[in-house]
Amino acid sequence: MSDENEKFDRRSVLRGMGTAAMSVSFFGTATAASARDADADETDPFHDFAADVSTDVDDPTRTELVGRYADAESLKAAFRDDADPILQTLADEGVLESATLSAFEFGEVREEDLLVPTDAASGAGVTAIEHADRGVSAHLMATTASEDHRVALYRQPELDNTYAKVETDDGGFYVHDVGDGVTISADCGWERVYCSSSICQTGDPPSCTEQQRYCCYGPNYETKDCTDTRYVCSCTCDDI
């Protein structure tokens, strides 16, 4: 396929895992299997954000951002500012005992460690990320574990973005506050690769064929793996 028939940029290659946003009534079903079967025409808020994130931040900026939250009280205060909807959802669904930060460890703040929701990584940390459209931010992390759940809470205060990653014996999922309600999504989903010039539906504007691939992101925006590929009629030819 020629360059004229494809439009490649960072957003088109990585943007928008195609898992439909799942309501909290389906809290326990946000698995990789449900994401694979989700509507390909919709994008998931967490993955839509994650697709444009890089951990490659220049050293002076990283040092300044990390320094803002290097002590436990500053980091905890930043979570208090915006984490209530996430904490309430986790408590309502029995992941946390209460909608507070009391289950999380804030004694020692690890700098530059990327914390994930595992039994061995209880604690708090801070590093920095950059979003392609919204700029740089500190990346705050706090983790906890119970008998049935491993939970990591994340916040980028400069971008006003908060989410949690929950892992159980049956799999993992994300709880994300997008500002107009809490959504739940799986680890994996369909993401856009490119929009071709092949018209699949006439109209004004006509629709063209989009290639999508099934990929998984880690809680600190790591791309883990990409497997299946499919072609759907979901992009406008004006995007080419």
Side-chain angles (χ1 to χ4, degrees), residues 56-239:
D56 186 15
V57 178
D58 66 82
D59 288 341
T61 301
R62 180 183 298 275
T63 299
E64 195 274 328
L65 288 167
V66 168
R68 295 179 188 178
Y69 309 97
D71 65 277
E73 282 305 313
S74 296
L75 189 144
K76 192 172 184 179
F79 275 115
R80 286 198 200 99
D81 288 343
D82 196 56
D84 285 351
I86 300 292
L87 294 171
Q88 188 62 59
T89 300
L90 294 174
D92 289 346
E93 300 299 331
V95 175
L96 297 178
E97 291 186 0
S98 64
T100 68
L101 295 169
S102 60
F104 296 90
E105 298 284 345
F106 289 96
E108 177 185 357
V109 178
R110 308 180 196 180
E111 297 183 17
E112 303 304 335
D113 287 343
L114 295 176
L115 304 187
V116 296
T118 63
D119 293 325
S122 293
V126 57
T127 182
I129 59 100
E130 181 172 7
H131 189 275
D133 293 332
R134 299 171 61 181
V136 296
S137 175
H139 178 60
L140 314 183
M141 304 158 280
T143 61
T144 189
S146 66
E147 183 177 350
D148 300 319
H149 302 94
R150 280 78 66 194
V151 185
L153 188 64
Y154 300 92
R155 176 159 168 73
Q156 290 104 39
E158 286 75 19
L159 305 182
D160 197 23
N161 184 59
T162 308
Y163 63 98
K165 174 66 186 296
V166 180
E167 288 187 357
T168 71
D169 292 340
D170 297 324
F173 53 91
Y174 293 97
V175 184
H176 188 206
D177 180 10
V178 295
D180 56 356
V182 174
T183 62
I184 296 169
S185 57
D187 285 0
C188 306
W190 294 99
E191 70 176 28
R192 180 182 180 185
V193 180
Y194 66 82
C195 185
S196 77
S197 61
S198 176
I199 297 176
C200 55
Q201 183 175 336
T202 59
D204 186 18
S207 295
C208 279
T209 303
E210 180 177 87
Q211 180 182 337
Q212 297 180 348
R213 63 183 181 182
Y214 190 77
C215 297
C216 307
Y217 278 99
N220 295 290
Y221 305 118
E222 315 93 322
T223 303
K224 292 182 179 178
D225 189 26
C226 295
T227 53
D228 299 346
T229 299
R230 68 182 180 187
Y231 297 86
V232 299
C233 186
S234 65
C235 61
T236 61
C237 301
D238 291 344
D239 292 339

